[in-house]
Amino acid sequence: MDVFLLSVLLLSIAAVLYPFLIYPVILRLLPVRPVDGASSGHSASLLFCAYNEAAVIPEKIANLEALKTLHPNLQILAFDDGSSDDTARQLAARPDLLTLVRGNRSGKAHGMKRLAALATGDILIFTDANVMLAPEAIANLSAYYGDAQVGGVLGSLHYLQEKNSATASVGQSYWKMEERLKDLESRSGNVMGADGSIFSIRRALYPDFPDTVLDDLTVSMSVVFAGRRLIKVRDVIAFERLVSARGDEYRRKVRIAARAWHTHSYLRPQLRRMSPIDRFKYASRKVVRWFGGVFLLSGTAAALALAWRIDVRLFLAALGIGILLLLLGLVSRRGPLAKIADIWIAYMATLQGVFRAMRGDTFAVWNPAKSR
C-alpha cells in the first residue's frame, strides 16, 4: 500500500509539473522548421467583438486610428454584443474608421462569424476590444504570409500590471510560461491553438462552427487541420491589462475551461487526424493541463494517506498546517501564500469548468472583468 501511495504522489507531482518543466525540454529537442518571412502584399481585415467595454473604447479607437494611419486600406470590423453601456454609441460614432455590426447577447463566436462574413481582406486578424496593438504589428504579421505554408500567425501578448495583487502576479507568470511554450511549439512546426488577443489566419481557411465553441481555438486549429502551419512570432505585439481580482479570474477560468472542453469534444474527429507530433503537442499542452486539478487532489490525498500510515499525529499536523496555509493565502492579497492560493484556485476553476462542460453546460456569452 505504501508503495502504491508513494507512486500516486510522485506521478501526480510529475503530471502537474510536466506541461511547464518536462514538455518544454522535449520541444527543444525537436528539429527546427524555419519560416520564410518575405513580404506578402496581402490585404487585411481587423476583427474584434465588444460587450460593455465603454471604459476602454476611447483608447481602442486611438489605437485603431494609429493603425489606420499606417495602413489606410486596413478594413476594421467591430461587433457589439448588445452592450448596456456606451460601447455601441462610441463605436458607431466612427464610421470613417470602422464598420459596426450590432448583436443581442448572441456571444463572441456568433459575432466573429458575422464579421468574418463581411471581411474582404486576404488575412483575418482577430483581437479583443481591450487589447491594443503595437504600431508595427500589422506590417510584421503580414510579412509572414509570404511563406505559402503559413496559414496562421499568432502574435505575442504583453500584460500590463497596474494593480499589485497576487492574482495579477500569478496571471502574469503563467502567461509568460504560456508564451514560451508557444514559441517552442512554433519553432518545431505548429502551435496548438491561439487565444483571442492577437492572431490571424488566411480568410480562405476560416471554418464554419457552432456559436457555443471557443472560436479562438476552433478558428486557429482549422489552420493545422488544413495542413498549413500555425506559427507564433515575437515581433507582432499586443498589450492587455491583467485581471487583479480573484472572483473575476475564477469566473473567467471556469468559463474558458468549459468552452475549451466543449470545443475539444467538437473538434475530436479532426484532432484524431492530426500528425503524431501535433497530437502529442495537443495532449501535452491542453489535455494534461485541463486535468491538473485532478493531479493536485490525488497527490494531496496520497500524501495525507501516507502521513496517516506513518503516524496519525503526522496526518493531523499536515492536514492542519495545510488548511491554515490555504486560509492565510485566501485572505491575503499579496505574498507567497497568496500566490500559492491563487495557483490552487486556478487549477480548481479549470477542473470545475471541464466538469461542467462534461455535464453539458455551455457558455456562449461573456462579461468583461471589472478588475482590469
Side-chain angles (χ1 to χ4, degrees):
M1 176 61 73
D2 290 348
V3 173
F4 171 76
L5 291 174
L6 182 60
S7 298
V8 171
L9 175 59
L10 294 177
L11 288 173
S12 298
I13 293 173
V16 171
L17 297 178
Y18 171 79
F20 307 105
L21 297 181
I22 303 172
Y23 179 48
V25 174
I26 297 174
L27 289 175
R28 290 182 185 277
L29 299 176
L30 297 177
V32 177
R33 293 181 59 186
V35 176
D36 178 10
S39 178
S40 69
H42 291 93
S43 59
S45 299
L46 180 67
L47 290 61
F48 70 93
C49 296
Y51 175 73
N52 285 355
E53 296 279 10
V56 301
I57 293 301
E59 184 181 6
K60 183 69 174 182
I61 288 177
N63 183 237
L64 295 176
E65 287 176 333
L67 296 174
K68 190 75 170 180
T69 298
L70 292 172
H71 306 280
N73 295 324
L74 176 66
Q75 181 189 32
I76 302 176
L77 302 170
F79 176 80
D80 177 75
D81 197 20
S83 296
S84 58
D85 64 3
D86 206 32
T87 299
R89 188 198 64 78
Q90 292 184 63
L91 293 173
R94 295 303 307 271
D96 59 312
L97 180 65
L98 57 86
T99 299
L100 174 64
V101 177
R102 297 175 185 265
N104 186 22
R105 295 306 280 152
S106 48
K108 182 185 174 186
H110 175 82
M112 282 300 189
K113 287 194 294 185
R114 290 183 62 183
L115 296 182
L118 296 175
T120 59
D122 301 319
I123 302 168
L124 303 182
I125 304 172
F126 304 92
T127 187
D128 290 331
N130 64 308
V131 171
M132 310 302 153
L133 304 185
E136 67 279 3
I138 304 297
N140 291 348
L141 182 150
S142 299
Y144 289 97
Y145 286 95
D147 187 330
Q149 287 299 310
V150 172
V153 179
L154 285 64
S156 297
L157 179 63
H158 295 191
Y159 272 121
L160 304 175
Q161 186 176 346
E162 295 182 351
K163 300 177 182 179
N164 186 20
S165 72
T167 301
S169 179
V170 168
Q172 188 172 51
S173 298
Y174 173 85
W175 189 253
K176 287 180 179 178
M177 288 189 291
E178 182 77 359
E179 290 284 277
R180 284 196 291 268
L181 281 177
K182 290 177 183 177
D183 287 333
L184 291 172
E185 287 181 341
S186 180
R187 72 190 286 271
S188 60
N190 292 316
V191 182
M192 291 297 101
D195 70 279
S197 58
I198 173 64
F199 79 99
S200 62
I201 70 165
R202 296 181 188 270
R203 181 162 59 93
L205 299 178
Y206 192 82
D208 186 29
F209 50 88
D211 293 347
T212 54
V213 301
L214 199 62
D215 60 292
D216 311 330
L217 179 59
T218 304
V219 172
S220 58
M221 288 303 294
S222 70
V223 173
V224 181
F225 300 151
R228 300 290 190 92
R229 285 194 66 183
L230 180 65
I231 64 171
K232 177 185 177 293
V233 298
R234 295 182 178 180
D235 59 349
V236 177
I237 300 173
F239 301 92
E240 182 180 358
R241 289 180 177 83
L242 280 161
V243 173
S244 60
R246 280 187 179 137
D248 285 341
E249 184 67 358
Y250 189 91
R251 287 186 291 272
R252 189 181 75 90
K253 285 191 177 296
V254 169
R255 173 176 56 82
I256 291 175
R259 296 192 70 189
W261 184 259
H262 175 67
T263 304
H264 167 76
S265 301
Y266 171 75
L267 296 177
R268 189 173 286 133
Q270 294 167 288
L271 292 169
R272 288 171 177 165
R273 293 195 293 269
M274 292 194 303
S275 68
I277 186 63
D278 283 339
R279 291 201 303 271
F280 164 74
K281 286 182 177 181
Y282 184 88
S284 296
R285 189 158 72 86
K286 298 289 186 183
V287 181
V288 173
R289 206 179 306 179
W290 286 333
F291 291 96
V294 172
F295 303 133
L296 272 181
L297 292 173
S298 63
T300 300
L304 290 174
L306 278 172
W308 176 277
R309 290 180 62 80
I310 294 172
D311 192 315
V312 67
R313 290 169 296 182
L314 178 62
F315 165 80
L316 293 174
L319 182 62
I321 292 173
I323 292 174
L324 177 61
L325 293 177
L326 182 60
L327 290 175
L328 289 174
L330 290 174
V331 299
S332 304
R333 280 189 52 81
R334 54 184 60 88
L337 292 181
K339 291 180 180 180
I340 292 172
D342 277 308
I343 292 171
W344 183 272
I345 289 171
Y347 274 109
M348 294 304 109
T350 299
L351 188 60
Q352 181 185 351
V354 169
F355 284 162
R356 290 186 63 173
M358 288 179 173
R359 295 200 309 263
D361 292 351
T362 58
F363 295 78
V365 298
W366 82 105
N367 289 288
K370 297 179 180 179
S371 60
R372 285 202 303 257

